[in-house]
Amino acid sequence: EHLETNPPADQSLLGRTLLSLGNMCMSYDDDDEAAVLIERALPILMDGPECCQQAVDAASSLGKHYFGKEQFEEAEDAYDQAIELATNRPQACARYTAEALVRLSRLQTVVHQNYELAEELLVQAMDACEAAVPPLSVSLVRAEYARLAQRTGQYGRVEALDKLLFQNYRSVVDNALGGEPTYGYEMLAISHGQQLADLLCKQKKWKDAEEYSRWVTKMADRYCGETALYALQSAITLATICSETGQSAEASKICDRLIDLDRRDEIDCLLLARLVPILVKAGRPEHAESLVSHLQSRIENAALDGMRDYNASAYYRLALANKYLGRMEEARELMSIAVATAREGACWNV
């Protein structure tokens, strides 16, 4: 207010202040107030040549706001404006350019179902990331490629990207001499390797998935410990692959180890529920039924107040587990509870 009633000689100061306040409001989920502030900031910032980066930030933030409000036409205009403004300083604004392109791609996917244009925009986003100095992380682009692939069923590009990222990180880990630090690259390799194994499983490329899954399982145990989330997730993925490729004995052995962790209260029930189809496929339906009964009791007695999203996920997983056992009536009942809990959580968060 002081800056508006007593305008500074440098108007860009007012624009930057309004943008900062708007971004602060957005971080506290006060999106409507944020939009008002940023809309006031944008024309001021556009008038200042030295404020190009802030102007791009403002336009991109408005695009995000409109997208969240499902005002898609306004969102598209704001993102187009951000990309156009960024051409004045491509290096400094590369992050905003990539983000705007990714959001535009999602808009084309979700609103217009124009998958060809959505992919073209992601190619441009990837180019923006790689052209930056230093190159930007492509994780945001990769995530959008995965969303697009779920719609089109065409996983080739996201698979190639995952393989490239994984090999880059793995080479650092594999080439490190004994005792030499890997500077966190081992966790990046584990994360991307697990991501790749899951993607290959989704395509039923079991043999390819097994290669990556075994490496990830070994590294997760070494660097994280057997009870860490990455270790547990990779073990379940490997057990799934083994059950699908006729390696039932190994699949059962992994399941038994994970169930033993449950006795020590060292594994979450959401992960345990994923063992049910593996046990059924391994010819152990009675163990699967026992596990489902145990999980149901554990979930119902958990009384996780204030964790509605978690409860909804737990009931959903339990419903799927009952479905695998052929208990369709129980599965439908549990799915209804999951949906009701999720809706309750959504209402609670409004």
Side-chain angles (χ1 to χ4, degrees), residues 92-270:
C93 300
R95 179 171 67 85
Y96 301 110
T97 302
E99 181 180 320
L101 288 164
V102 166
R103 292 279 181 171
L104 278 174
S105 173
R106 187 178 305 177
L107 191 148
Q108 292 299 327
T109 298
V110 175
V111 180
H112 303 302
Q113 289 80 53
N114 189 338
Y115 302 136
E116 184 176 348
L117 179 54
E119 184 165 352
E120 288 177 12
L121 290 164
L122 289 179
V123 171
Q124 294 176 41
M126 184 71 73
D127 290 343
C129 290
E130 292 176 346
V133 180
L136 297 170
S137 167
V138 298
S139 58
L140 187 65
V141 184
R142 187 270 168 204
E144 200 58 39
Y145 264 125
R147 290 190 185 95
L148 179 59
Q150 287 180 337
R151 296 278 187 130
T152 64
Q154 298 174 7
Y155 291 93
R157 190 176 288 274
V158 67
E159 182 181 325
L161 179 56
D162 276 352
K163 285 180 177 177
L164 176 64
L165 292 170
F166 171 69
Q167 292 298 342
N168 286 343
Y169 295 131
R170 176 178 176 173
S171 65
V172 175
V173 177
D174 288 348
N175 292 331
L177 301 175
E180 188 177 88
T182 52
Y183 302 104
Y185 280 95
E186 72 281 359
M187 297 307 300
L188 290 169
I190 289 168
S191 173
H192 283 282
Q194 178 63 33
Q195 196 168 254
L196 177 55
D198 287 339
L199 181 67
L200 292 167
C201 286
K202 187 176 292 186
Q203 300 174 78
K204 301 188 185 305
K205 296 181 178 180
W206 303 114
K207 287 299 182 184
D208 291 341
E210 182 176 352
E211 175 188 349
Y212 295 104
S213 184
R214 289 193 181 280
W215 187 91
V216 170
T217 302
K218 179 181 176 182
M219 292 299 110
D221 284 344
R222 175 188 299 178
Y223 289 105
C224 308
E226 67 170 6
T227 61
L229 182 59
Y230 277 130
L232 297 173
Q233 289 176 329
S234 63
I236 292 170
T237 299
L238 182 57
T240 301
I241 293 167
C242 288
S243 72
E244 293 288 346
T245 54
Q247 303 174 72
S248 298
E250 185 172 359
S252 286
K253 185 177 179 181
I254 295 171
C255 287
D256 288 339
R257 179 170 68 82
L258 295 174
I259 290 170
D260 185 60
L261 291 178
D262 176 57
R263 298 188 184 100
R264 300 180 343 224
D265 199 26
E266 292 181 326
I267 183 171
D268 190 272
C269 60
L270 293 183

Side-chain angles (χ1 to χ4, degrees), residues 242-317:
C242 288
S243 72
E244 293 288 346
T245 54
Q247 303 174 72
S248 298
E250 185 172 359
S252 286
K253 185 177 179 181
I254 295 171
C255 287
D256 288 339
R257 179 170 68 82
L258 295 174
I259 290 170
D260 185 60
L261 291 178
D262 176 57
R263 298 188 184 100
R264 300 180 343 224
D265 199 26
E266 292 181 326
I267 183 171
D268 190 272
C269 60
L270 293 183
L271 292 173
L272 272 179
R274 293 173 57 188
L275 301 182
V276 172
I278 302 172
L279 290 169
V280 171
K281 193 138 191 163
R284 298 171 58 184
E286 69 286 352
H287 291 96
E289 290 177 3
S290 176
L291 179 58
V292 167
S293 297
H294 167 67
L295 289 174
Q296 186 148 353
S297 173
R298 183 170 161 182
I299 291 168
E300 289 174 349
N301 293 330
L304 296 170
D305 293 334
M307 298 180 66
R308 291 170 176 80
D309 290 344
Y310 179 92
N311 290 338
S313 297
Y315 281 114
Y316 171 73
R317 284 289 178 186

